[in-house]
C-alpha cells in the first residue's frame, strides 16, 4: 500500500506542476509534465493488476489506461503545434474514445444477464440525449466536432451505465471504485467540452477538468486491487 500512496502522490504532484506550466504558457514543459503524471496512473494500473484475481480484466484496463496517457499527451500537443491544433485535438479525442471502448469491453463480461446490458443501453440513450442537448446549448462548435461528440459522449455514458449496473449487481469494493472513477471521468470530459467550445475559457474550469480526470484514472487503476 505505501507504493500505491507514492504513485498517486507522484501523479498529483506532476499534475499540479503541469497545470502551473500550462498557466505560464510553457507548453512544451507542460506536455512533458502531463505525460509524467499520466505515466503514473499507467504504472499504478500495471502494479495493481498483479494483485487482481481477473488477469483478463486487468489487461484491458491497463490498455485503457495506456490509451488515456497517449491521448493526454496529444491533447496538450495542440498547444505546441497550433497550426494543426484541431487535427491533433480530434486524434486525441479519438484515442480517448478508444480507451472508453476498451474499458467498456472489460466491463461487459461482468454483466450478469443480457437484459441488464439492454437496460444499460436504454439508459445510455436517454442520458446521452439529455446531456448532449444541454451541452450543445452551451457551446459553439463545428458540425464535425459535434458529430464526433455524439459518439464520444455516448461511449463514456454507456461505460458509466454499465459500471453503475455492475456495481449494483456485484456490490464489491472494486466495482464501486471503478464506478466512482468512471463518473469523475465523465464529469471531467463535460467540463473539458464546455471550457474548450464554450463562450469563454476559464483556467479554473481547466483545473477542475484535469483534477477530476486524474483522480478518476487513479481510481480506475486502483480498482484492480479488488477485482
Amino acid at each position: 500500500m505505501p507504493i500505491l500512496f507514492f504513485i498517486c502522490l507522484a501523479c498529483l504532484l506532476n499534475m499540479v506542476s503541469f497545470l502551473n506550466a500550462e498557466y505560464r504558457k510553457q507548453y512544451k514543459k507542460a506536455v512533458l509534465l502531463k505525460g509524467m503524471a499520466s505515466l503514473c496512473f499507467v504504472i499504478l494500473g500495471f502494479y495493481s493488476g498483479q494483485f487482481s484475481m481477473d488477469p483478463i480484466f486487468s489487461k484491458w484496463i491497463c490498455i485503457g489506461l495506456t490509451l488515456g496517457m497517449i491521448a493526454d499527451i496529444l491533447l496538450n500537443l495542440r498547444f505546441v503545434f497550433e497550426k494543426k491544433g484541431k487535427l491533433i485535438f480530434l486524434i486525441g479525442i479519438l484515442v480517448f474514445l478508444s480507451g472508453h471502448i476498451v474499458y467498456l469491453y472489460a466491463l461487459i463480461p461482468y454483466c450478469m444477464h443480457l437484459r441488464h446490458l439492454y437496460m444499460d443501453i436504454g439508459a445510455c440513450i436517454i442520458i446521452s440525449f439529455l446531456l448532449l442537448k444541454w451541452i450543445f446549448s452551451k457551446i459553439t462548435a463545428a458540425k464535425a466536432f459535434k458529430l464526433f461528440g455524439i459518439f464520444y459522449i455516448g461511449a463514456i455514458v454507456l461505460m458509466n451505465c454499465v459500471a453503475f449496473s455492475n456495481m449494483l449487481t456485484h456490490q464489491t469494493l472494486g466495482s464501486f471504485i471503478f464506478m466512482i472513477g468512471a463518473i469523475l471521468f465523465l464529469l471531467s470530459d463535460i467540463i473539458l467540452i464546455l471550457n474548450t467550445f464554450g463562450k469563454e475559457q476559464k483556467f479554473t474550469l481547466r483545473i477542475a477538468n484535469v483534477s477530476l480526470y486524474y483522480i478518476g484514472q487513479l481510481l480506475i487503476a486502483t480498482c484492480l486491487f479488488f477485482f
Side-chain angles (χ1 to χ4, degrees):
M1 286 302 178
I3 295 178
L4 170 64
F5 172 78
F6 284 117
I7 295 174
C8 290
L9 180 62
C11 178
L12 296 177
L13 288 175
N14 277 296
M15 180 198 77
V16 172
S17 299
F18 138 65
L19 284 170
N20 182 58
E22 187 174 281
Y23 180 73
R24 296 174 182 274
K25 297 185 179 180
Q26 299 171 337
Y27 295 128
K28 291 182 180 179
K29 182 180 179 181
V31 170
L32 176 62
L33 289 167
K34 191 179 187 185
M36 290 171 62
S38 300
L39 180 61
C40 288
F41 62 63
V42 173
I43 292 172
L44 179 59
F46 278 96
Y47 174 74
S48 303
Q50 297 178 48
F51 302 90
S52 175
M53 299 294 290
D54 188 343
I56 296 176
F57 178 80
S58 297
K59 179 189 74 172
W60 287 112
I61 293 300
C62 287
I63 291 173
L65 291 168
T66 303
L67 288 170
M69 178 184 69
I70 295 170
D72 287 335
I73 294 170
L74 286 170
L75 287 189
N76 264 67
L77 279 175
R78 78 186 192 273
F79 298 123
V80 178
F81 304 102
E82 291 186 33
K83 291 183 179 180
K84 296 184 178 180
K86 290 184 178 180
L87 176 61
I88 294 172
F89 182 82
L90 277 174
I91 295 172
I93 294 298
L94 179 61
V95 177
F96 261 133
L97 175 61
S98 301
H100 293 322
I101 293 172
V102 169
Y103 284 155
L104 180 61
Y105 184 79
L107 288 171
I108 286 177
Y110 282 89
C111 293
M112 295 192 69
H113 301 288
L114 192 59
R115 60 186 175 86
H116 288 165
L117 183 58
Y118 291 149
M119 291 172 64
D120 292 337
I121 293 172
C124 168
I125 293 171
I126 295 170
I127 295 171
S128 296
F129 174 78
L130 295 174
L131 184 57
L132 284 165
K133 185 178 180 181
W134 177 73
I135 289 174
F136 287 159
S137 71
K138 300 291 183 181
I139 66 172
T140 53
K143 288 184 178 180
F145 283 96
K146 286 187 175 182
L147 182 62
F148 197 79
I150 292 172
F151 290 101
Y152 184 85
I153 290 295
I156 191 170
V157 169
L158 180 58
M159 189 259 286
N160 270 264
C161 290
V162 174
F164 181 74
S165 176
N166 286 348
M167 188 276 297
L168 291 179
T169 54
H170 294 282
Q171 297 184 359
T172 63
L173 183 57
S175 61
F176 176 75
I177 292 174
F178 186 98
M179 182 198 70
I180 298 299
I183 291 172
L184 295 181
F185 207 147
L186 174 60
L187 292 175
S188 170
D189 280 338
I190 293 170
I191 295 172
L192 173 65
I193 293 169
L194 294 176
N195 200 39
T196 301
F197 300 104
K199 296 178 181 178
E200 183 182 0
Q201 293 187 349
K202 298 179 180 179
F203 198 72
T204 51
L205 289 178
R206 178 61 171 162
I207 294 172
N209 152 230
V210 171
S211 299
L212 290 171
Y213 168 74
Y214 276 101
I215 295 172
Q217 288 283 50
L218 287 171
L219 288 173
I220 289 173
T222 302
C223 83
L224 298 180
F225 271 106
F226 309 99
F227 264 90

